[in-house]
Structure formats: C-alpha cells, structure tokens
Amino acid sequence: MSLARAGQLEYGGLRRVPAAAKLGNTLGICAGKASIASYLVEEHGFKRICLARNAATPAVEQSASNARVPLVDGAPVDAQHTFANVDSLLDFVTLRWRERWVTTDIWDDAVVDALLRRPFFLLVSVDAPVSVRWQRFKDRCAASQLTPPTLEEFVLRNDQHLFAPRTGLSALFQRAQLKLLNSTASRASLRQAIASLDLTNQARLRPSWDQYFMQLADLAAHRSNCMKRRVGCCIVREKRVISTGYNGTPRGMTNCNEGGCPRCNNSAKGGASLSTCLCLHAEENALLEAGRDRIGENAILYCNTCPCLTCSVKITQVGISEVVYNQGYLVDTQTAAIFAESGVRLRQFSPPTHGLVDLSIGTGSDTKQEQEKDDVREILNDENFVRPLN
C-alpha cells in the first residue's frame, strides 16, 4: 500500500489476488498524510516507500526564513526503499506484491498515471482547511525551533503550490477514489476516524460480488427518467447478470421527466397517490425483462432501494430467492413479512465509503463498511431501517 506526500495520501500496494495497497495524496501541507501513513505502518503492517522529489522544496514547506521544515510524524525511509523514479519504485513493489506498501510521495500527474495503471492500488486524497493546516505548520516549525510564516504568507505559498499553472497539485485531488477532509483536533481523533473508515478493506481494491452487482444497480439507476427518485435493479443467478432495470414510464409513453407521469411531476409525497403513478419500478422492469423462465432458481435481486410492498409480491411470485438492497424506502412490516413468509432472504448491503468523507464528523464504529443483516426480524427492529428519501 502506499501513501502520497506532496499533496495526496496514497495507499497503494501492488499485490495480486489477496493484495491490499494504498497510495495517498494530500493537496495541502499538514493535511494529515504522514499521520495516516504512520497509522497504516503501526497498525496494519505497511512499509514506507519513498519516491525522490526531483524539484526544489516548495515554499509552502519552508519556514519564514525559507528553511525546510522537517516532518514531525513518521520515521525516515531507508535507502533501500527510496527510488529515483516511479518506474523503479513499481518494479520493486511488483516483485514484493505480497507485502503492503505506503507512500506519501505523489509529485505530479505522471506519477499518478503510472501508479493507477497497476491493479490493487488506491489513491486517497487528504485535505484540511487552510487555517487548520497553518496552525499545524506553526506547531511543526516550533518543534524544529523555526519561525513560521504568517497566515497571509502561508496562504499565498499554499495557492502557488496547489494552483500554479501546469505544476499545481489541486487537480490530483479529483483523481482520488477516496477524498478525506481532515479537520480533526488531534492525532488520536484522526486515528480513531481512520480506524472506523476501514481503509484496508479489500473491497476498496477489488469489489466483492455484492459490491459489484450493487454498482451495476446504481449504474442502471442513472438511466431512470422518473422525476421522484432514481432506482436501479440487477437480477443475478450464479454470479451472472440476467437482467437490469430502472424506474420510469412504460415503453412508448412520454418519459416521466418530460411530463409523462402527472403524479411524479406534481408535489405528491412519497408513498402517497401511488395508484395514479404511471411509472414502472426498477424491480418491475427487471422482472419483466427477465421473465420467470430465465430467472429460475436461486436468483438474487440487487436494488439500490429496498423494494416496495407491490414489488415484493411480484418478486416472490417469480421465485427470487434473495433480495439485497442498499437504502431503505418507506418499508413497512408487511413488505418484510411477505419475504419472511415466502422464504425470500432480505439483506442490506452497504459498500465501503468512497468519495468525499469528512473525518471530523466521524464514520462511527457502528458504520461498518459492509453491513449484512440476515434475519428479517433484525431488520424490522432496526431504527435505521426506515429511511425516507423524499
């Protein structure tokens, strides 16, 4: 795994099948990349790896007298694990793919391009408010008995570092699969937040089957033309896709988003006036596309939103054996009871957190990256089960 330093946190480990690697990149100095790298080394057995910087130390990493301010967190990397270019780094790590590597050295787009071409590599960006980073940088200067720049100087240097034409690092932030906002008050709180985020989850590097099929359901949802919400569905048997579906008006009718369904284009509340809705649900479309004969036995239905009562009856009728959903949607006990009585397993799956995550809010130890609830009664008793989306 690896973590990146000049502005991104990178956890990238180039391992084959059960590998876990991470490359991290923070877009601003003192955003927390070194602390996260140290956490991975100390708690998860990562080894630091260094990519030499072939440019002068940027002003944002210097004191008021332009002296380089050394890192406070993290042990130095030995010469064996320091490389002059990204190709030699990749050659070294590829031969040692069973190990976990972390680097904080992502200097430019060329480095990112080379690393992202490899499998089992995760790019993580870490950022923090500039005022927070300035305070952390002052503490770093104090530890080395150096005079820090003023806030104004720090902001100007930071802008040059991130937004200078052709050399600024801000564009790299958008390339990260996981973007962390770190305004935590201490290293201890940062470590607690990172621990609950479960950075080393293998599904971040290679999706599990549940994650894979749920992502297909999410992709199908983007084709939805319903004005109320986007819902997608994927029916699978023996890890092979049988059909997909998304919600919207029937074939040949005006699309819902073009006025085809009066109910969805008015201010009807969720769950109300459903008998006047002209839109087919994602599950209905997927079932109609597949047909009972193609669905057969042991088929699994994945849906990004828990099926409604009407769809649950149809799902039961065609012989679906399991329903996996992500978000709840005004589901009452009747829906779950139908599945329980008919022997359809109902399970909630939440994939690892991705995108932008504010670490100061806290992911919470109860927010497991993969949640599976196998017992319908457990689902019904969960106060978080019913989550209206409207």
Side-chain angles (χ1 to χ4, degrees):
M1 295 195 164
S2 62
L3 258 141
R5 171 174 167 180
Q8 289 184 315
L9 157 68
E10 194 172 308
Y11 135 26
L14 303 168
R15 304 169 74 176
R16 305 234 170 116
V17 179
K22 195 169 242 177
L23 162 60
N25 162 340
T26 72
L27 293 180
I29 187 172
C30 291
K33 57 187 175 290
S35 297
I36 298 176
S38 294
Y39 165 81
L40 292 172
V41 169
E42 296 165 15
E43 300 296 331
H44 295 284
F46 280 69
K47 297 179 182 179
R48 289 180 181 268
I49 196 166
C50 180
L51 179 61
R53 178 186 260 158
N54 42 14
T57 301
V60 73
E61 296 183 20
Q62 299 174 3
S63 68
S65 60
N66 296 324
R68 184 181 181 278
V69 181
L71 290 172
V72 175
D73 197 346
V77 179
D78 58 44
Q80 179 189 5
H81 294 153
T82 301
F83 300 90
N85 56 67
V86 69
D87 291 333
S88 58
L89 182 150
L90 284 173
D91 289 342
F92 178 87
V93 174
T94 300
L95 293 174
R96 295 159 180 82
W97 58 269
R98 293 182 183 274
E99 302 175 56
R100 290 176 162 184
W101 302 96
V102 59
T103 183
T104 56
D105 300 330
I106 301 296
W107 308 121
D108 51 41
D109 273 314
V111 173
V112 175
D113 289 340
L115 294 171
L116 286 178
R117 281 196 293 267
R118 296 299 185 95
F120 305 111
F121 171 83
L122 180 65
L123 179 63
V124 181
S125 292
V126 187
D127 206 353
V130 66
S131 58
V132 173
R133 292 191 287 108
W134 178 60
Q135 185 60 55
R136 293 172 183 167
F137 191 66
K138 287 200 301 179
D139 295 341
R140 184 187 293 185
C141 289
S144 301
Q145 297 182 332
L146 295 170
T147 302
T150 65
L151 176 58
E152 182 179 3
E153 291 172 332
F154 185 82
V155 169
L156 291 175
R157 293 178 178 188
N158 177 75
D159 284 352
Q160 177 66 23
H161 182 57
L162 299 184
F163 304 109
R166 293 184 296 278
T167 60
L169 296 178
S170 61
L172 300 184
F173 181 81
Q174 301 302 324
R175 304 186 65 180
Q177 296 100 317
L178 183 63
K179 305 174 180 68
L180 306 180
L181 178 59
N182 173 32
S183 55
T184 55
S186 65
R187 285 188 178 87
S189 58
L190 171 61
R191 286 193 167 214
Q192 183 178 6
I194 291 298
S196 62
L197 192 59
D198 193 15
L199 278 180
T200 59
N201 190 331
Q202 293 293 320
R204 295 188 181 280
L205 301 171
R206 184 173 187 243
S208 66
W209 286 113
D210 275 345
Q211 188 174 352
Y212 175 64
F213 293 126
M214 194 63 77
Q215 286 176 341
L216 292 181
D218 285 334
L219 180 61
H222 281 75
R223 282 289 302 166
S224 169
N225 64 63
C226 181
M227 290 294 292
K228 283 295 185 181
R229 73 187 74 251
R230 284 178 168 176
V231 181
C233 177
C234 179
I235 298 178
V236 176
R237 187 179 68 248
E238 297 177 352
K239 298 183 174 61
R240 297 292 183 268
V241 175
I242 299 174
S243 67
T244 61
Y246 53 86
N247 58 327
T249 47
R251 182 178 302 172
M253 292 183 60
T254 303
N255 285 340
C256 180
N257 62 340
E258 297 172 341
C261 177
R263 184 258 178 186
C264 290
N265 282 271
N266 291 326
S267 57
K269 295 183 179 180
S273 304
L274 294 179
S275 61
T276 65
C277 184
L278 301 181
C279 289
L280 287 167
H281 289 194
E283 303 93 319
E284 292 176 310
N285 273 322
L287 294 172
L288 289 168
E289 177 67 23
R292 182 186 177 95
D293 292 340
R294 289 182 59 204
I295 289 174
E297 297 181 354
N298 302 317
I300 303 174
L301 183 146
Y302 288 86
C303 195
N304 63 346
T305 303
C306 191
C308 69
L309 177 61
T310 301
C311 285
S312 67
V313 174
K314 298 172 183 175
I315 289 168
T316 300
Q317 175 66 14
V318 299
I320 297 289
S321 63
E322 182 176 11
V323 172
V324 184
Y325 72 97
N326 186 357
Q327 298 176 313
Y329 167 53
L330 298 175
V331 180
D332 59 15
T333 55
Q334 288 180 302
T335 300
I338 287 172
F339 287 140
E341 182 177 353
S342 59
V344 178
R345 184 186 182 202
L346 179 62
R347 179 163 58 91
Q348 183 174 17
F349 169 79
S350 297
T353 304
H354 64 281
L356 181 63
V357 178
D358 188 344
L359 297 178
S360 65
I361 294 176
T363 55
S365 58
D366 58 332
T367 308
K368 284 292 190 183
Q369 302 311 316
E370 281 191 32
Q371 299 178 4
E372 292 190 6
K373 297 182 179 180
D374 298 332
D375 192 330
V376 171
R377 290 168 298 181
E378 183 180 349
I379 296 173
L380 296 178
N381 292 331
D382 188 343
E383 61 181 7
N384 296 319
F385 178 56
V386 178
R387 287 174 288 177
L389 302 180
N390 58 324

